[in-house]
Amino acid sequence: MAYTVKCGDVIVVKSQQGKFLTVGRDGVTGANAPAITDHERFFIHDAQGAVTERELEYGESIMLFSQHGSYLLADPTGNVRGGSGNIGAWEKFKLINPEDPSCRTAIPYDGKIALQSDHGKYLAAEANGAARADRTAVGPAEKWTILKGRHVAENQLTLGDTLSLKSYHGLHLVAESTGELNANREGVGDWERFVVQSATGPSRVKQVHYGDVVSLVTAHGKYLGLDENGKPRADRTAIGVPTRWVVSNPSSPRSKAGVYYDDAIALRASNNSYLTAQPDGRTTTDQPNLGPWERWKLKSTRRYLTGGRVQQIIQQQLSGKFAGDFRMYVADGEYYCPSVSDAHEVIRKTLVEHNQYTREKFDCDDFAHILKAEFIKDGYNNGVRRAPHCFGIIWAGNHAFNWMINDDFNLRFIEPQSDGIFYPNEGVSSIYLMTC
């Protein structure tokens, strides 16, 4: 079947020269990228900035929202650049069938499109790799192939990810606060989450393959490993031989293929035995052979979002609450989404609410900035995390307060003067500025 393009999809567009449309962090746009990275991926928003999933047709206008958290725009002179926070005419592009401009059918992936700016000109890939929107007709340079641009790592196990492991018995691996390692939990909470790191050198963001050696970090900041008697524990304090685990394919132990979520894995300890889930919920590492009890189902509890995805969630969950001059500034490329309980603990420790409100000297925006700073410090002091908290400041009407996106990917507001956490549907409107 032919898959069609939908609002909210992530796409890339390829020129007739085989290069990809790209936008840098500085907003500079080109048509010269030889391969697909985050710079070449765009979320499709409709002409009102919405991302409600629906099929798109030729003749519709869209906006292209980059992974840097801003829109592509074409100005009247034909210059094309990223970095726009507006939802205006210059950010809109009409999807044209280059073979039949009057066509109004659904757009298939791998099909051809032309992108017409609000000024009536077409986006072209210049021979020198530049992108311009100043052409009055569609020729080879104005034809683009539309491709699926979903990030390949979305279902890959990647170093730095947070995961859970479900045993053959249907229960999850858990790191107890005592350091014991069990496999007896029905649900996934903080103690059932583990961060995967390289055990052989500095962790860089890359897919994990079968045969790789990893370390697993608990929510308590300790490592899974073996004690002096070869028994599994969750209280090791440093990476070393006892904390090294070889990720194995239980169906093909010699496999070196990439590991994906929902795959089955086995974990071979430094004593060359496998981590085993016993029926009574205990874990052992005395089995040198693979069987059903040594199989673990890999589940994602990923807590990271790109800056672009943060923007998309905000646009979706705050739809209809923005002022006409709304602006948003996202400073980083990736963010860590804390659980509500983790965030509440940071808020509780800060005591921001105990400051005295003084008009024009220490008022709502000062409370919000101090709480934001506390979350920056918490992220900085936590060596397991690879990104800052998804936590920011919001201005709505004449009031400033805080917002966050949690590990359930829901947006919540925080009133820093009272420590209250509440949902966006509780009386907030006229939002004109958000920063992260």
Side-chain angles (χ1 to χ4, degrees):
M1 68 180 282
Y3 291 96
T4 54
V5 181
K6 294 181 174 62
C7 187
D9 281 0
V10 179
I11 63 164
V12 295
V13 288
K14 185 170 68 173
S15 74
Q16 293 293 92
Q17 290 83 26
K19 301 296 177 67
F20 298 95
L21 184 67
T22 183
V23 60
R25 279 188 174 275
D26 55 4
V28 174
T29 304
N32 57 353
I36 299 171
T37 69
D38 278 347
H39 300 301
E40 290 72 51
R41 294 185 172 93
F42 299 90
F43 288 100
I44 299 181
H45 292 188
D46 70 15
Q48 285 71 50
V51 289
T52 305
E53 183 175 319
R54 62 178 180 81
E55 198 170 66
L56 290 170
E57 296 181 349
Y58 289 114
E60 289 195 58
S61 291
I62 61 165
M63 298 194 296
L64 295 173
F65 190 76
S66 80
Q67 299 284 333
H68 308 302
S70 58
Y71 290 106
L72 211 63
L73 69 80
D75 70 19
T77 67
N79 290 320
V80 180
R81 63 181 185 274
S84 173
N86 293 328
I87 298 176
W90 291 10
E91 289 76 24
K92 293 178 173 62
F93 293 88
K94 185 177 287 188
L95 296 161
I96 302 294
N97 184 329
E99 310 304 329
D100 180 8
S102 64
C103 178
R104 295 294 182 268
T105 62
I107 304 168
Y109 276 109
D110 297 321
K112 294 288 191 293
I113 61 169
L115 291 166
Q116 187 182 42
S117 76
D118 185 68
H119 314 291
K121 303 297 177 64
Y122 293 95
L123 180 67
E126 304 280 9
N128 64 0
R132 297 275 301 167
D134 57 0
R135 302 298 174 84
T136 57
V138 176
E142 293 72 42
K143 293 180 181 179
W144 302 83
T145 303
I146 188 164
L147 304 169
K148 277 185 174 290
R150 181 59 64 185
H151 198 299
V152 295
E154 284 207 347
N155 66 334
Q156 294 176 355
L157 174 61
T158 305
L159 290 177
D161 278 0
T162 305
L163 54 83
S164 67
L165 293 167
K166 191 173 185 179
S167 77
Y168 171 81
H169 310 292
L171 301 173
H172 293 89
L173 191 69
V174 56
E176 309 285 8
S177 59
T178 59
E180 292 179 280
L181 186 66
N182 292 316
N184 59 4
R185 293 298 201 276
E186 293 184 356
V188 176
D190 285 344
W191 293 8
E192 293 75 39
R193 292 184 168 99
F194 303 90
V195 178
V196 58
Q197 294 183 347
S198 171
T200 57
S203 285
R204 60 187 181 89
V205 179
K206 73 176 189 69
Q207 186 182 10
V208 174
H209 289 71
Y210 290 115
D212 283 356
V213 183
V214 302
S215 291
L216 296 170
V217 187
T218 74
H220 313 294
K222 303 296 178 64
Y223 294 92
L224 265 60
L226 303 186
D227 66 12
E228 297 74 13
N229 300 313
K231 296 185 181 301
R233 297 283 297 174
D235 57 0
R236 308 295 91 177
T237 58
I239 291 178
V241 172
T243 64
R244 292 178 179 172
W245 301 87
V246 178
V247 181
S248 299
N249 185 332
S251 302
S252 178
R254 293 186 178 182
S255 173
K256 301 295 182 184
V259 183
Y260 291 82
Y261 287 109
D262 293 323
D263 283 352
I265 66 168
L267 292 169
R268 193 172 80 238
S270 56
N271 64 356
N272 284 321
S273 294
Y274 291 95
L275 182 65
T276 301
Q278 301 292 342
D280 61 3
R282 293 180 301 112
T283 59
T284 58
T285 44
D286 56 6
Q287 176 54 259
N289 298 313
L290 284 167
W293 295 0
E294 288 70 48
R295 297 173 69 99
W296 300 87
K297 193 70 172 289
L298 187 63
K299 292 291 183 183
S300 172
T301 57
R302 185 172 294 192
R303 292 182 167 196
Y304 295 93
L305 291 173
T306 65
R309 180 64 178 139
V310 169
Q311 290 254 17
Q312 187 187 37
I313 288 173
I314 287 170
Q315 292 279 354
Q316 288 175 324
Q317 297 187 19
L318 295 181
S319 179
K321 296 181 179 294
F322 300 116
D325 56 351
F326 172 71
R327 297 287 186 275
M328 176 155 194
Y329 300 98
V330 174
D332 295 296
E334 187 176 48
Y335 291 91
Y336 171 82
C337 299
S339 67
V340 175
S341 60
D342 285 348
H344 190 270
E345 185 64 15
V346 176
I347 295 168
R348 185 188 66 80
K349 290 178 179 178
T350 63
L351 303 180
V352 173
E353 76 280 6
H354 291 283
N355 290 294
Q356 182 175 351
Y357 180 97
T358 305
R359 184 176 175 83
E360 296 299 332
K361 184 177 179 182
F362 193 93
D363 49 18
C364 59
D365 60 308
D366 301 296
F367 279 91
H369 276 100
I370 287 180
L371 189 54
K372 166 66 174 173
E374 294 292 341
F375 272 81
I376 292 171
K377 287 164 55 179
D378 182 81
Y380 179 81
N381 291 330
N382 190 311
V384 172
R385 297 175 199 159
R386 69 181 192 217
H389 283 289
C390 193
F391 189 96
I393 302 173
I394 180 171
W395 282 260
N398 59 358
H399 188 51
F401 49 101
N402 298 99
W403 64 270
M404 63 182 173
I405 296 177
N406 300 109
D407 60 348
D408 58 1
F409 299 152
N410 282 317
L411 181 72
R412 292 175 176 85
F413 293 153
I414 307 97
E415 176 47 73
Q417 298 181 51
S418 66
D419 287 356
I421 298 174
F422 58 103
Y423 283 102
N425 58 356
E426 298 178 24
V428 173
S429 61
S430 302
I431 300 167
Y432 62 88
L433 178 62
M434 295 179 72
T435 63
C436 189

